[in-house]
């Protein structure tokens, strides 16, 4: 049986569509756990109404504690052999579960990943799909496959995946309620510590609704650099410990680090307390020495790259001071 966990918080406009797509699945051996996280817009009542219609739907009402708390509550209630997460403003195709469970019948694996389709309000969509269907073991011989999943952003959230519940329960893997940004990535990499095999399906059966601009930059996070950099080090450590530290992996990770540095520096004008020590701290990280080998991986003005490589934080301070006076 598959336990589908759906955290619910004030999604009245989209919740019916999400639940309808679940109960219409061609694969029927599942329980659907709706965790109402203190909704105030009528979503709670919608959950209760669906529970009356289908006995596979289980409702948990709790005070608002955030999406991580809701997902953890779902894991606590889950009785299935496998775990699947769906966001309450998204929807899935009728063959979403069967596409993943059928892969298990072919070859036992610890984690199954399929593609997703981003759905924008204007009707446009973007597909993120594994390049090919395959099963592989984590290790040096398959680094390229693992990097591919990261590059396509398919390892950063809990959606479009089928997890083994016994791995989660045995190792007490949970979402951290204290982390509000990047908690999904931390959960996945905790799980990957105990996963030996991964299966990819080069199909998209999950529709990810983009309600805002679709960019992380639309939300101001004053400590974004600290969070991104700490999580980058977690990824680096994982790659190195699991014998994935190939040239392909390093190119991917150092390109990512270039982006983290760039975003952190250009966050400076939006900070309330603008201090030059903020820029100095960013450019003090030891990995900048290694970035010199990957200058072609990231696109930005050459003066920015040179200022980063030579840790010329006063250049950025002067630049932002001039911009502010315009």
């Amino acid at each position: 049986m598959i336990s589908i966990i759906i955290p619910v918080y004030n999604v009245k406009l989209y919740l019916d569509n999400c639940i309808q797509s679940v109960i219409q699945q061609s694969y029927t051996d599942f329980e659907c756990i709706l965790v109402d996280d203190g909704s105030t817009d009528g979503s709670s009542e919608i959950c209760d109404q669906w529970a009356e219609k289908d006995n596979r739907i289980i409702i948990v009402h709790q005070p608002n504690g955030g999406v991580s708390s809701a997902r953890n509550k779902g894991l606590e209630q889950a009785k299935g052999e496998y775990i699947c997460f769906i966001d309450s403003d998204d929807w899935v195709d009728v063959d979403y579960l069967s596409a993943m469970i059928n892969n298990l019948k072919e070859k036992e694996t610890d984690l199954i990943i399929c593609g997703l389709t981003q759905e924008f309000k204007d009707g446009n969509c973007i597909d993120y799909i594994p390049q090919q269907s395959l099963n592989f073991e984590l290790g040096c011989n398959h680094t390229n496959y693992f990097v591919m999943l990261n590059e396509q952003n398919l390892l950063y959230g809990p959606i479009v995946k089928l997890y083994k519940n016994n791995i989660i329960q045995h190792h007490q893997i949970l979402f951290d309620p204290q982390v509000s940004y990047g908690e999904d990535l931390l959960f996945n990499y905790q799980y990957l510590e105990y996963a030996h095999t991964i299966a990819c399906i080069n199909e998209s059966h999950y529709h990810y609704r983009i309600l805002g601009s679709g960019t992380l930059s639309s939300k101001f996070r004053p400590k974004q650099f600290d969070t991104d950099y700490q999580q980058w080090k977690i990824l680096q450590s994982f790659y190195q410990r699991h014998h994935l530290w190939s040239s392909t992996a390093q190119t991917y990770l150092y390109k990512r680090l270039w982006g983290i540095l760039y975003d952190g520096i250009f966050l400076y004008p939006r900070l309330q307390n603008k201090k030059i020590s903020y820029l100095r701290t960013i450019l003090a990280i030891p990995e900048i020495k290694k970035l010199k080998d990957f200058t072609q991986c990231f696109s930005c003005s050459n003066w920015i790259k040179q200022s980063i490589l030579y840790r010329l934080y006063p250049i950025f301070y002067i630049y932002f001071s001039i911009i502010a006076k315009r």
Side-chain angles (χ1 to χ4, degrees):
M1 183 173 70
I2 298 174
S3 292
I4 303 169
I5 298 173
I6 305 179
V8 176
Y9 180 70
N10 289 353
V11 284
K12 181 179 180 180
L13 293 177
Y14 312 107
L15 186 55
D16 272 327
N17 186 35
C18 176
I19 300 174
Q20 184 75 37
S21 73
V22 170
I23 66 169
Q24 292 178 339
Q25 289 297 295
S26 58
Y27 181 84
T28 58
D29 187 16
F30 66 83
E31 62 175 2
C32 179
I33 304 171
L34 300 175
V35 183
D36 169 39
D37 192 41
S39 296
T40 58
D41 70 338
S43 295
S44 300
E45 290 75 13
I46 293 175
C47 290
D48 292 334
Q49 291 166 9
W50 276 104
E52 293 177 2
K53 298 177 184 177
D54 195 314
N55 59 14
R56 295 173 298 180
I57 295 178
I58 300 167
I59 309 298
V60 179
H61 295 288
Q62 68 174 28
N64 179 249
V67 66
S68 291
S69 172
R71 287 171 176 156
N72 289 340
K73 176 61 70 172
L75 288 172
E76 180 184 312
Q77 300 290 323
K79 296 181 177 62
E81 185 179 358
Y82 301 99
I83 300 293
C84 171
F85 293 97
I86 297 176
D87 288 346
S88 54
D89 50 0
D90 299 338
W91 74 95
V92 292
D93 293 337
V94 66
D95 292 327
Y96 176 60
L97 295 180
S98 62
M100 291 194 287
I101 205 71
N102 286 341
N103 188 284
L104 274 174
K105 296 177 182 178
E106 296 177 8
K107 187 174 182 180
E108 183 69 15
T109 188
D110 295 326
L111 180 66
I112 300 176
I113 303 172
C114 76
L116 66 83
T117 301
Q118 285 189 339
E119 304 279 354
F120 294 88
K121 291 191 293 185
D122 61 6
N124 290 323
C125 60
I126 301 175
D127 289 326
Y128 294 88
I129 304 174
Q131 295 174 3
Q132 56 184 307
S133 293
L134 51 87
N135 292 65
F136 66 93
E137 295 183 1
L138 276 176
C140 59
N141 293 330
H142 301 109
T143 301
N144 290 355
Y145 298 148
F146 190 69
V147 171
M148 172 195 71
L149 293 173
N150 282 273
E151 289 178 332
Q152 294 180 307
N153 300 315
L154 293 174
L155 277 176
Y156 295 146
I159 59 173
V160 302
K161 295 172 185 65
L162 202 61
Y163 302 88
K164 282 186 174 179
N165 197 10
N166 63 348
I167 292 179
I168 292 174
Q169 299 300 331
H170 181 74
H171 298 286
Q172 299 181 325
I173 302 170
L174 295 170
F175 295 87
D176 188 345
Q178 304 303 315
V179 178
S180 60
Y181 170 55
E183 73 283 358
D184 298 344
L185 181 144
L186 297 178
F187 176 88
N188 281 333
Y189 272 84
Q190 286 182 65
Y191 184 88
L192 286 168
E193 288 288 347
Y194 310 102
H196 302 292
T197 55
I198 298 176
C200 305
I201 305 171
N202 66 331
E203 302 171 4
S204 172
H205 296 288
Y206 189 104
H207 300 270
Y208 182 81
R209 196 188 302 270
I210 303 295
L211 298 176
S213 67
T215 62
L216 289 175
S217 59
S218 62
K219 186 171 183 179
F220 176 62
R221 298 181 176 89
K223 294 186 179 298
Q224 180 175 330
F225 174 79
D226 293 336
T227 302
D228 287 345
Y229 177 53
Q230 291 303 317
Q231 292 182 1
W232 183 89
K233 290 198 291 186
I234 290 172
L235 266 64
Q236 180 197 40
S237 174
F238 182 90
Y239 273 81
Q240 291 175 336
R241 288 183 292 102
H242 290 268
H243 309 291
L244 297 163
W245 197 238
S246 66
S247 59
T248 301
Q250 292 181 54
T251 298
Y252 161 71
L253 283 170
Y254 283 109
K255 178 181 179 180
R256 182 179 174 89
L257 185 58
W258 268 112
I260 290 170
L261 283 161
Y262 182 94
D263 290 344
I265 290 169
F266 282 86
L267 185 71
Y268 179 82
R270 302 174 66 185
L271 299 176
Q272 289 185 344
N273 298 317
K274 298 180 178 63
K275 297 181 179 179
I276 194 170
S277 58
Y278 169 85
L279 298 169
R280 182 170 61 240
T281 299
I282 288 179
L283 294 183
I285 65 170
E287 292 84 3
I288 286 180
K289 293 180 180 179
K290 187 65 176 176
L291 282 178
K292 293 179 181 179
D293 298 331
F294 299 92
T295 55
Q296 303 304 315
C297 297
F298 186 74
S299 297
C300 69
S301 298
N302 190 57
W303 75 267
I304 296 175
K305 288 184 178 180
Q306 294 303 311
S307 298
I308 290 174
L309 291 175
Y310 292 98
R311 307 179 191 271
L312 303 177
Y313 60 88
I315 297 294
F316 291 112
Y317 181 76
I318 295 170
Y319 172 77
F320 291 130
S321 298
I322 294 172
I323 293 297
K325 294 178 180 179
R326 290 182 177 177

